[in-house]
Amino acid sequence: MAVVALLGDINIDLVLDIPAYPGEGGEAIATGQTVAIGGSATNTAIALARAGHECRLIGCVGQDAWGRQALSELQKAGVSTLWIGQDPAEPTQLNVVAVSATGERTMFAYRGANAQLSDDMIDEAALAGAALLHLSGYAFLQPRQAGAALRAIDIAEQRGIPITLDVPGGVVAALADALRPLLSKLDTILLADGDLPQLLGRPRDATLDSLVAALLEQGVKRVAIKGHGTDSLLRQANTGDSAPWFPVEVVDTVGAGDAFAAGHIHGRITGLSAAYCCRLANAFGAVAVTRKGAGQAMPSLDEVLNLMTGAR
């Protein structure tokens, strides 16, 4: 399989099952609790490692127990930790995730050591022989980590390495100004259809076709829409493909978008058709939502293929 370099957050997720959200100042008694590794790029790296790829994760943790746990879990998952720094002052990010009775997640986080990744911590060797560089949009929330991401992009461009960017939902307004200048550098962008207007600075009632066309005109080669109705979409110049979501019982949506990204990346670097990439990404996301948490709960390729085979 291929070498994939990934840059983004590494954190510990405290996932709480909350049957009903209280008002401000109230209390909610969780019906379940899970503590595990997480982070958008981390989850995608674990899923890709389980698909057989050599994954090199670029990030930063604190010099604390959470950081040691994160490094240990990554190593167990087969993800290289050689390019992960350790900050002596800031803690490893703790992500508190409240999951509702419908499986929807709400997150609270202090970014800690993740935001301390800097451009001088990016080693060109991390991208040596890479088939693709994948970036989590969270890396552009704060200037220091954004500088590190830009350095990685420069190296990838110099080496002709395709770049993918996963834009997380809920923070597009904070990211848009930083991401717009990068669009011409992207092979693939992955995002929700509702985030397109904010990313591009267009009216909310702009049509999906016009928004996707704007991305393609600005140089993005592939636009992967995570959800449009009951389908996901993949648009390229002069072509468009889609696939319906798989009907599965949703337990927890934590990590679903990260798994979806892993499916598209796997399809992209193994030369699969655009239509199959859509279906594969949907299957990765579908398996992810049937279990609690992310991290070590990320799907394996066998589980994904079994779902696709059964759905036929």
Side-chain angles (χ1 to χ4, degrees), residues 3 24 32 53 63 66 75 82 84 88 105 120 157 186 214:
V3 173
E24 186 174 358
H53 299 288
Q63 293 181 357
W66 289 333
Q75 290 161 4
L82 184 60
I84 297 174
R105 91 290 188 273
D120 59 359
E157 277 198 301
L186 300 179

Side-chain angles (χ1 to χ4, degrees), residues 200-225:
L200 291 166
R202 302 292 178 88
R204 294 208 66 84
D205 59 357
T207 66
L208 178 65
D209 285 345
S210 69
L211 293 167
V212 170
L215 282 175
L216 295 173
E217 287 168 6
Q218 293 185 52
V220 181
K221 294 181 177 63
R222 297 157 66 95
V223 180
I225 305 297

Side-chain angles (χ1 to χ4, degrees), residues 281-298:
N282 289 357
F284 266 88
V287 175
V289 302
T290 64
R291 54 191 60 171
K292 286 184 178 293
Q296 300 291 9
M298 283 288 102

Side-chain angles (χ1 to χ4, degrees), residues 82-284:
L82 184 60
W83 292 279
I84 297 174
Q86 298 183 51
D87 190 84
E90 289 285 353
T92 302
Q93 178 175 324
L94 179 65
N95 201 31
V96 180
V97 186
V99 179
S100 70
T102 62
E104 191 55 73
R105 91 290 188 273
T106 302
M107 299 191 292
F108 306 86
Y110 173 65
R111 303 196 65 249
N114 280 315
Q116 300 308 307
L117 184 70
S118 59
D119 58 357
D120 59 359
M121 297 169 68
I122 305 301
D123 187 342
E124 292 192 24
L127 280 76
L132 184 140
L133 168 65
H134 177 67
L135 301 165
S136 165
Y138 288 116
F140 295 91
L141 281 172
Q142 289 167 276
R144 190 178 176 96
Q145 190 181 18
L150 292 174
R151 171 64 179 147
I153 288 172
D154 287 344
I155 296 169
E157 277 198 301
Q158 292 166 13
R159 299 186 177 191
I161 299 169
I163 301 166
T164 61
L165 172 67
D166 183 14
V167 181
V171 293
V172 177
L175 295 175
D177 288 343
L179 297 184
R180 285 180 199 133
L182 305 178
L183 296 175
S184 64
K185 303 174 185 293
L186 300 179
D187 177 87
T188 305
I189 189 169
L190 306 103
L191 74 172
D193 58 357
D195 290 329
L196 277 163
Q198 277 191 309
L199 175 62
L200 291 166
R202 302 292 178 88
R204 294 208 66 84
D205 59 357
T207 66
L208 178 65
D209 285 345
S210 69
L211 293 167
V212 170
L215 282 175
L216 295 173
E217 287 168 6
Q218 293 185 52
V220 181
K221 294 181 177 63
R222 297 157 66 95
V223 180
I225 305 297
K226 298 177 184 179
H228 183 65
T230 59
D231 292 356
S232 75
L233 313 175
L234 181 60
R235 298 286 181 83
Q236 303 174 76
N238 304 318
T239 64
D241 293 276
S242 65
W245 285 103
F246 290 87
V248 295
E249 183 176 349
V250 177
V251 173
D252 179 347
T253 59
V254 178
D258 309 327
F260 178 88
H264 265 295
I265 292 168
H266 176 75
R268 176 75 175 87
I269 60 182
T270 55
L272 300 176
S273 70
Y276 194 89
C277 283
C278 285
R279 196 160 183 267
L280 187 68
N282 289 357
F284 266 88

